[in-house]
């Protein structure tokens, strides 16, 4: 017998044994791997209602926090409501004398008159007035009542004034017919009122001083140097003034209809008196005063509610309060009663000027704007009561206080309205001035 044969047989048997052991080990290992994979999957299925929820929670929580931060940026404590629906930049706004209506002029060619039945309402009813084609409303003011508005519109040929009033409602026995609101129609209109120049401000007031009969007097201020006075109800041009200062910035009428004041290219503010005849008509508009003291151009001004003082903001970084209740006919000059530094700085510490001013109906709070920021100041001390950074998503174009408190639920609140290029009008509650 060949001695090699047993050795080969043993080698084959050992090889087969080793292969069997290896194969068994491999099979057991695969079972273990399959078991380790299958077991967590079964566990995951049993935890399915809770486990997917945890990742969602952890993912949504930062999103929620970011959303809250955005809301905090958007919603200031004094931010009461937003009047939406404008199709373009809102160029002007004005409250009615009773404070229950708010008219807005918009670049989309529409004037809207909102009814402020409740300042906290989710939606507001409004009357829509479409201006004649080709013109864009740039400013609006009320005439003798909350159903009549005067609109300044600008086109390529120049500026126009339109007075819209409601057609007299005809008496009817049908209650449904009585419920219908009459549509506004043009009562009077004037074109190229400042030649080809644009109207930059349009303001009106119920004239009660002297022999004035309470009718609305309106001042249109052009981007040139001229200012024109109009009788609100009839549209008659009743007076003119000229600043002779290269270009105007704005003009305002005192609440009692006695004075006109204009901010223009220079640091001085000119004041005219509206003199009324015995029949209540405007007799003349002579220049009577000049406010001198600022070192740079006056950016905006406003009258106090009693018509005896003027507040001016200048690019020299100061605010001044002037007493204009003087005997100017005896050459008595208006006095600067108070001077406050403008408490607004940029990132480098440079003082910023104010673009707009508006004084609360009680004369205690001065609302100011710079760009998209609103700042409320105490008139008595000049201290900042509150600031709303980025109050709008663009520059603020106009601000106005409601002349009277309006309803907000069971309360009555004093409201500031702001208009902006961001197509929105916002309502703001007045801050407390006790802490200043």
């Amino acid at each position: 017998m060949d001695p090699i044969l047993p050795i080969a047989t043993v080698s084959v048997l050992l090889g087969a044994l080793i292969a069997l052991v290896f194969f068994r080990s491999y099979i057991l290992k695969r079972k273990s791997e399959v078991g380790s994979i299958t077991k967590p999957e079964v566990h995951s299925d049993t935890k399915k209602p809770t486990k997917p929820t945890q990742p969602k929670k952890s993912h949504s929580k930062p999103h929620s926090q970011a959303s809250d931060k955005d809301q905090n940026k958007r919603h200031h404590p004094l931010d009461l409501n937003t009047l939406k629906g404008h199709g373009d930049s809102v160029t002007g706004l004005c409250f009615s004398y009773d404070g229950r209506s708010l008219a807005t002029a918009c670049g989309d060619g529409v004037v809207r008159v909102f009814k402020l039945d409740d300042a906290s309402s989710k939606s507001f009813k409004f009357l829509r007035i479409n201006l004649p084609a080709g013109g864009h409303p740039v400013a609006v003011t009320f005439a003798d009542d909350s159903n009549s508005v005067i609109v300044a519109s600008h086109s390529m040929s120049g500026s126009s004034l339109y007075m819209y009033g409601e057609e007299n409602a005809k008496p009817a026995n049908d209650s449904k017919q009585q419920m219908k609101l009459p549509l506004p129609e043009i009562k009077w209109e004037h074109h190229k009122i400042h030649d080809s120049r644009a109207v930059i401000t349009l303001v009106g007031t119920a004239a009660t001083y002297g022999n004035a009969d309470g009718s609305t007097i309106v001042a249109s201020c052009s981007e040139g140097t001229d200012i024109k006075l109009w009788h609100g109800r009839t549209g008659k041009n009743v007076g003119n003034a000229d600043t002779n200062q290269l270009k105007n910035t704005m003009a305002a009428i005192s609440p009692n209809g006695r004075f006109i004041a204009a901010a223009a290219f220079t640091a001085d503010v000119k004041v005219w008196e509206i003199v009324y005849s015995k029949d209540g008509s405007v007799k003349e508009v002579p220049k009577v005063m000049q406010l001198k003291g600022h070192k740079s151009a006056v950016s905006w001004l406003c009258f106090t509610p009693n018509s005896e003082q003027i507040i001016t903001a200048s690019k020299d970084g100061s605010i001044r309060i002037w007493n204009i209740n003087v005997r100017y006919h005896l050459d008595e000059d208006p006095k600067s009663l108070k001077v406050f530094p403008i408490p607004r700085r940029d990132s480098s510490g440079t003082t910023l000027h104010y673009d707009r001013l508006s004084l609360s109906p009680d004369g205690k709070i001065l609302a100011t704007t710079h760009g998209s920021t609103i700042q409320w100041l105490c008139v008595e001390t000049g201290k900042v009561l509150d600031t709303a950074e980025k109050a709008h998503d663009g520059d603020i174009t106009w601000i106005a206080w409601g002349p009277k408190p309006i309803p907000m639920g069971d309360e009555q609140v004093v409201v500031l309205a702001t208009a902006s290029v961001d197509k929105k009008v916002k309502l703001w509650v007045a801050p407390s001035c006790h802490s200043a």
Side-chain angles (χ1 to χ4, degrees):
M1 185 176 178
D2 191 350
I4 297 175
L5 188 60
I7 295 172
T9 304
V10 171
S11 298
V12 170
L13 290 173
L14 285 173
L17 182 62
I18 292 170
L20 182 64
V21 171
F22 177 81
F23 185 72
R24 184 174 179 277
S25 175
Y26 175 77
I27 292 296
L28 290 174
K29 187 177 179 182
R30 286 295 299 162
K31 281 185 177 181
S32 175
E33 287 178 354
V34 170
S36 66
I37 293 172
T38 306
K39 196 170 183 181
E41 283 185 355
V42 173
H43 180 70
S44 176
D45 289 339
T46 59
K47 295 285 185 179
K48 200 168 187 178
T50 57
K51 194 164 185 179
T53 308
Q54 281 181 336
K56 281 187 180 178
K57 272 189 177 180
S58 62
H59 176 72
S60 63
K61 195 169 183 180
H63 177 75
S64 175
Q65 286 175 344
S67 177
D68 290 342
K69 286 180 181 178
D70 290 342
Q71 281 196 347
N72 289 336
K73 287 180 181 178
R74 287 197 300 268
H75 298 295
H76 188 275
L78 301 179
D79 187 352
L80 176 59
N81 216 328
T82 300
L83 278 61
K84 299 178 181 178
H86 298 90
D88 205 334
S89 172
V90 184
T91 53
L93 56 78
C94 181
F95 280 95
S96 59
Y97 297 124
D98 62 3
R100 301 296 291 270
S101 296
L102 179 67
T104 63
C106 183
D108 61 5
V110 179
V111 170
R112 296 166 175 85
V113 183
F114 292 86
K115 299 299 180 182
L116 304 180
D117 296 324
D118 188 332
S120 60
S121 176
K122 292 184 178 179
S123 62
F124 298 88
K125 293 180 180 179
F126 66 90
L127 184 67
R128 180 187 178 101
I129 302 173
N130 295 307
L131 263 66
H136 301 284
V138 294
V140 62
T141 190
F142 278 89
D144 287 345
D145 54 55
S146 60
N147 298 321
S148 304
V149 293
I150 300 171
V151 186
S153 174
H154 189 69
S155 65
M156 294 295 291
S157 60
S159 293
S160 300
L161 277 187
Y162 300 94
M163 198 278 256
Y164 287 86
E166 291 183 350
E167 185 66 39
N168 293 330
K170 296 180 180 180
N173 296 325
D174 187 0
S175 59
K176 288 185 179 179
Q177 188 173 349
Q178 286 182 343
M179 290 293 288
K180 289 184 179 179
L181 290 174
L183 295 174
E185 64 174 15
I186 297 175
K187 298 295 184 179
W188 55 259
E189 59 186 291
H190 295 291
H191 303 284
K192 294 186 178 180
I193 57 173
H194 295 286
D195 296 326
S196 61
R197 295 182 293 274
V199 170
I200 52 177
T201 59
L202 184 75
V203 290
T205 191
T208 57
Y209 180 78
N211 293 322
D213 59 6
S215 298
T216 298
I217 296 294
V218 176
S220 62
C221 177
S222 84
E223 62 184 350
T225 65
D226 58 325
I227 301 166
K228 292 193 174 185
L229 284 182
W230 310 86
H231 188 264
R233 182 171 50 80
T234 64
K236 182 181 178 182
N237 180 204
V238 295
N240 301 281
D242 199 310
T243 59
N244 293 309
Q245 293 181 5
L246 293 181
K247 62 177 182 178
N248 295 332
T249 301
M250 55 82 64
I253 299 182
S254 63
N256 64 1
R258 182 183 181 186
F259 295 113
I260 306 172
F265 183 74
T266 69
D268 297 341
V269 172
K270 293 182 179 180
V271 182
W272 296 263
E273 183 177 20
I274 305 172
V275 181
Y276 297 90
S277 302
K278 289 183 179 180
D279 62 357
S281 62
V282 176
K283 182 179 179 181
E284 58 180 337
V285 189
K287 179 190 164 190
V288 293
M289 281 178 275
Q290 196 157 332
L291 311 183
K292 296 183 177 182
H294 282 296
K295 297 177 182 178
S296 187
V298 172
S299 56
W300 210 262
L301 62 83
C302 63
F303 285 89
T304 56
N306 62 9
S307 300
E308 295 181 357
Q309 297 171 358
I310 292 176
I311 302 177
T312 56
S314 170
K315 292 183 179 179
D316 65 12
S318 71
I319 296 171
R320 287 178 179 260
I321 302 178
W322 308 81
N323 175 31
I324 59 170
N325 186 24
V326 296
R327 295 173 296 179
Y328 62 84
H329 54 282
L330 297 178
D331 296 327
E332 190 173 318
D333 293 327
K335 301 294 189 296
S336 180
L337 302 176
K338 294 179 182 179
V339 181
F340 299 130
I342 291 178
R344 185 87 187 134
R345 304 284 187 274
D346 63 13
S347 57
S348 64
T350 304
T351 301
L352 300 173
H353 69 273
Y354 286 136
D355 302 321
R356 302 281 187 275
L357 301 178
S358 184
L359 192 59
S360 61
D362 61 4
K364 294 181 179 179
I365 302 173
L366 182 67
T368 68
T369 68
H370 177 86
S372 62
T373 297
I374 308 172
Q375 205 161 50
W376 292 266
L377 308 180
C378 175
V379 174
E380 183 64 29
T381 63
K383 292 183 178 179
V384 177
L385 299 174
D386 214 325
T387 302
E389 301 280 356
K390 297 182 179 178
H392 282 268
D393 296 326
D395 286 350
I396 295 169
T397 55
W398 199 264
I399 60 173
W401 287 95
K404 295 179 181 179
I406 61 175
M408 186 183 74
D410 297 330
E411 301 178 67
Q412 294 282 324
V413 293
V414 177
V415 168
L416 175 76
T418 59
S420 170
V421 297
D422 67 0
K423 306 179 185 180
K424 295 177 184 176
V425 171
K426 286 193 173 187
L427 303 180
W428 307 81
V429 181
S432 171
C433 59
H434 297 300
S435 59

